[in-house]
Amino acid sequence: MQEEGIKMERDFVSVIILNYNGRKFLKDCLDTISNQSVDNYEIILVDNNSTDGSVEFVKANYPHVKVIECKENYGFAKGNNIGVTYAKGRYIILLNNDTKVKPNYVEALYKTIKQREDYGLVGTTTLIGDKGFTSRSTLNVIGYWIPKVFKKDIEIFGGPGYSLIFDRKKVPIPFDDDYFIYNEDVYLAWLIRLKGYNATHTLESPVWHYGSGTMGSRSKFMIFHGEKNRLMNLLIFYEGRTFIKLFPLFLLSMVFVPIRAFILYGSNCYLDAYVKAYWWVLRNFGIIMDKRKKIQTQRKVRDEEIFKYMSYKLSGDNIGKFINLFAKLYCKIVGVRTYDMQ
């Protein structure tokens, strides 16, 4: 959906910055994104009904920024989707408010996504000190990010939600509104892959990211939405035959992950948030199946092709060594071949 009267321009970039009570981050973010080596871009700030003076600050100091004021906090997914409807660029950059970028940031992303017709998405590396860093992580077969899998920095399953560019001709709207926040970047990456497109990193312009600047650290809210959306991704994106093959691993994850959380965090493991997420999925199963039908009609490649960018590992730490061995053996038995099994 495109906001009425806004015409999409082929070689134009729209930078969308979502904000919710993030005024303390906005100066660094807007100062750096406003000072770029190219001029074929616009900046759109979508404000999720902030109460900290964010909107007033932006309007007073950055008149070139288009401000979209939401009447309530729509979350990361719907907030960014709203921003896309107001954008005139074919290429959309999603940038967190708690970031700082280099002067070649827009140029680097734009040039990279234009390099190959099959690129649907390009991500950036994270800036640590003066060097760009990537964890070489990918998605595992049960929907979690696993670090240190890929052999090259440019290899990715999909880009980080805090800094990426995607082609709106390939994916008109990036997210599902019901995700609210967390794992919506997995949704976009998986959709790109399912539609037969590719993704990569640009190493030319890493981003400084404060991290959890708006939402804070581990919480019940984070676990609920993260788990809810992880399970929705599995139900929506896998082919039926794949889902049946991997179903035992999905059940295992629903036991192993809360236990692992208890080992690591003790009383702060928030087991009730996991239960709440699983119950939400059960109660909304029919709605999720409707979402699945819409996604599966867009499929251009089989899961076997997507597995080439995923991992069998269920855990990225020492706690999960045994469970990883089991998962590898299980994947071999059921005929699932991931990147780290090639």
Side-chain angles (χ1 to χ4, degrees):
M1 178 181 173
Q2 185 76 6
E3 191 68 19
E4 187 175 350
I6 298 176
K7 183 179 180 181
M8 185 169 67
E9 297 185 19
R10 177 178 177 83
D11 293 314
F12 198 78
V13 177
S14 296
V15 180
I16 297 174
I17 300 169
L18 187 70
N19 181 71
Y20 176 65
N21 289 334
R23 185 188 182 285
K24 63 182 178 180
F25 300 109
L26 290 176
K27 186 178 189 305
D28 282 342
C29 180
L30 292 176
D31 280 354
T32 55
I33 194 61
S34 298
N35 181 29
Q36 293 293 300
S37 58
V38 293
D39 58 10
N40 64 326
Y41 75 105
E42 65 176 345
I43 303 171
I44 300 172
L45 184 130
V46 180
D47 188 83
N48 265 335
N49 199 27
S50 294
T51 57
D52 66 346
S54 290
V55 170
E56 294 79 6
F57 171 75
V58 175
K59 287 183 175 180
N61 294 281
Y62 304 92
H64 60 283
V65 174
K66 183 188 296 184
V67 178
I68 309 300
E69 298 180 61
C70 299
K71 295 181 179 179
E72 60 183 280
N73 181 5
Y74 288 122
F76 189 90
K78 185 174 181 178
N80 275 299
N81 287 346
I82 290 172
V84 170
T85 66
Y86 283 90
K88 64 180 182 180
R90 168 177 172 174
Y91 300 98
I92 305 292
I93 289 178
L94 303 181
L95 182 67
N96 272 23
N97 59 353
D98 59 342
T99 57
K100 292 188 293 185
V101 301
K102 292 188 173 184
N104 68 330
Y105 173 75
V106 172
E107 181 180 9
L109 282 170
Y110 175 70
K111 282 171 56 180
T112 305
I113 201 168
K114 294 275 284 184
Q115 283 176 0
R116 283 173 36 179
E117 182 58 33
D118 68 327
Y119 281 161
L121 179 152
V122 175
T124 60
T125 56
T126 304
L127 190 65
I128 297 180
D130 293 324
K131 296 182 179 179
F133 169 79
T134 173
S135 63
R136 297 188 178 182
S137 61
T138 190
L139 198 70
N140 68 10
V141 294
I142 60 171
Y144 289 110
W145 291 108
I146 297 293
K148 300 178 181 178
V149 175
F150 287 126
K151 297 175 182 177
K152 299 178 181 178
D153 284 342
I154 62 170
E155 295 179 297
I156 60 172
F157 179 83
Y162 61 84
S163 173
L164 60 82
I165 188 171
F166 70 93
D167 184 346
R168 194 153 51 130
K169 293 282 281 187
K170 297 179 173 70
V171 179
I173 293 293
F175 305 126
D176 183 311
D177 287 352
D178 288 342
Y179 277 52
F180 197 80
I181 193 170
Y182 302 124
N183 279 323
E184 72 292 313
D185 53 349
V186 174
Y187 176 96
L188 175 59
W190 213 328
L191 181 58
I192 290 284
R193 294 285 181 187
L194 179 142
K195 296 181 77 168
Y197 300 116
N198 215 325
T200 190
H201 265 137
T202 175
L203 308 180
E204 294 182 26
S205 189
V207 172
W208 188 92
H209 182 215
Y210 183 84
S212 298
T214 297
M215 300 309 303
S217 56
R218 178 182 172 84
S219 65
K220 290 185 178 182
F221 177 88
M222 178 184 294
I223 291 168
F224 167 70
H225 285 289
E227 277 295 285
K228 164 181 73 75
N229 296 344
R230 176 183 74 90
L231 294 176
M232 275 209 291
N233 282 333
L234 301 180
L235 288 164
I236 288 171
F237 285 102
Y238 275 132
E239 294 177 84
R241 61 195 181 93
T242 303
F243 191 89
I244 293 171
K245 285 182 181 179
L246 294 176
F247 186 67
L249 289 187
F250 302 157
L251 290 180
L252 179 63
S253 75
M254 294 171 68
V255 176
F256 169 70
V257 171
I259 291 175
R260 176 180 175 276
F262 180 77
I263 294 172
L264 291 175
Y265 302 106
S267 60
N268 290 326
C269 64
Y270 304 134
L271 292 179
D272 55 330
Y274 290 100
V275 174
K276 182 180 177 182
Y278 303 153
W279 178 238
W280 187 97
V281 171
L282 286 174
R283 286 192 297 107
N284 292 277
F285 191 77
I287 295 173
I288 296 172
M289 289 299 99
D290 288 339
K291 296 178 187 294
R292 172 184 172 80
K293 290 177 183 177
K294 293 177 182 178
I295 290 295
Q296 292 298 321
T297 60
Q298 303 176 62
R299 179 180 291 277
K300 299 297 182 183
V301 298
R302 305 297 295 268
D303 285 341
E304 286 81 359
E305 185 64 29
I306 301 174
F307 279 136
K308 294 177 181 178
Y309 303 94
M310 300 175 76
S311 174
Y312 68 86
K313 296 177 182 176
L314 303 193
S315 176
D317 54 36
N318 291 330
I319 295 176
K321 281 186 175 180
F322 174 77
I323 209 80
N324 285 343
L325 289 174
F326 170 79
K328 185 176 184 179
L329 177 61
Y330 182 84
C331 285
K332 282 185 176 180
I333 291 172
V334 299
V336 171
R337 295 291 181 265
T338 59
Y339 175 93
D340 41 8
M341 294 173 65
Q342 304 298 318

